[in-house]
Amino acid sequence: QTVVTQEPSFSVSPGGTVTLTCGLSSGSVSTDYYPSWYQQTPGQAPRTLIYRTNTRSSGVPHRFSGSILGNKAALTITGAQADDESDYYCMLYMGGGFSVFGGGTKLTVL
Amino acid sequence: QVQLQESGPGLVKPSETLSLTCTVSGYSITGGYYWGWIRQPPGRGLEWIGSIYHSGSTNYSPSLRSRVTISVDTSKNRFSLKLSSVTAADTAVYYCARAPDYGDYVWGQGRLVTVSS
């Protein structure tokens, strides 16, 4: 069974840059997996940030960007703000209409 | 602007069937997207459950396939989730979403369903 991996936690200073990654327990992530990223604050529904590797969803600030770095998908936040403190989930499309979420990364801004 | 709203019982007994409905407004469910269900147990991460096209074509998570049924009612612009033989491990917030394969999801607010006798 394929597992989508993410760092459990990360911290960044206000104004700093942080890159979160999304990998596979076996193999490399490519654009074929349509990597997408979601932000979730406690008690709220997730919000789509990035889809299809690097396309920002409607209304998402430009400080959020997506890419492929090596064998993983990546979400970079440039100029982190206090309200970026959230859980971040990636999702990969496995083909055949089936997708899998990563375990999520808890980002602290301090 | 598309909006989605989950509805259904918030409490289900063990071994029974969980049933939820997602009503879509501001967009026709026949408009060409897949529509999906995702869940999140308390304090844990997101889990993809399955999706459906307006034609009735479905996709399910392999881990839940034996217990899940997703259906669509285009006349009422809504789709539904049934999860059978539930246990406490199925306690979660259940989200519906406009769910294209490429990931630009539009999410509902979520519905907490607790499995308990």
Side-chain angles (χ1 to χ4, degrees):
Chain A
Q1 179 177 338
T2 301
V3 175
V4 178
T5 61
Q6 295 185 247
E7 299 88 357
S9 63
F10 230 115
S11 64
V12 61
S13 299
T17 296
V18 62
T19 297
L20 312 181
T21 68
C22 175
L24 285 168
S25 57
S26 176
S28 299
V29 177
S30 69
T31 56
D32 292 342
Y33 285 90
Y34 295 148
S36 51
W37 293 90
Y38 307 91
Q39 178 191 48
Q40 187 181 37
T41 53
Q44 299 297 313
R47 166 198 183 195
T48 301
L49 295 176
I50 300 288
Y51 64 95
R52 208 181 265 149
T53 305
N54 56 14
T55 303
R56 274 181 293 275
S57 191
S58 177
V60 173
H62 281 68
R63 66 177 184 274
F64 294 95
S65 62
S67 63
I68 299 290
L69 287 180
N71 62 350
K72 296 182 179 182
L75 172 71
T76 298
I77 307 173
T78 304
Q81 300 181 1
D83 60 4
D84 294 334
E85 185 161 294
S86 302
D87 294 326
Y88 291 86
Y89 294 92
C90 71
M91 186 181 77
L92 301 179
Y93 176 67
M94 297 300 182
F98 166 51
S99 294
V100 178
F101 286 96
T105 297
K106 184 177 184 63
L107 180 67
T108 301
V109 180
L110 52 72
Chain B
Q1 177 180 343
V2 59
Q3 292 184 310
L4 300 95
Q5 180 67 59
E6 304 87 352
S7 60
L11 181 64
V12 181
K13 290 182 169 55
S15 80
E16 296 189 345
T17 296
L18 179 158
S19 296
L20 293 173
T21 296
C22 181
T23 302
V24 180
S25 59
Y27 191 87
S28 172
I29 207 166
T30 62
Y33 287 96
Y34 272 88
W35 303 87
W37 290 96
I38 303 95
R39 70 180 182 177
Q40 184 172 35
R44 301 186 64 182
L46 301 170
E47 180 180 16
W48 193 88
I49 299 172
S51 64
I52 190 166
Y53 199 64
H54 64 80
S55 62
S57 172
T58 53
N59 303 296
Y60 297 133
S61 166
S63 65
L64 294 170
R65 180 174 289 132
S66 64
R67 298 194 291 131
V68 172
T69 303
I70 298 175
S71 57
V72 64
D73 185 342
T74 56
S75 67
K76 295 183 178 178
N77 218 43
R78 68 188 190 190
F79 60 105
S80 298
L81 169 71
K82 291 189 185 298
L83 181 65
S84 64
S85 304
V86 296
T87 69
D90 296 309
T91 293
V93 175
Y94 286 77
Y95 295 100
C96 64
R98 190 174 74 178
D101 289 341
Y102 54 82
D104 191 16
Y105 281 24
V106 178
W107 299 78
Q109 295 178 334
R111 175 74 171 153
L112 174 62
V113 180
T114 301
V115 178
S116 175
S117 56

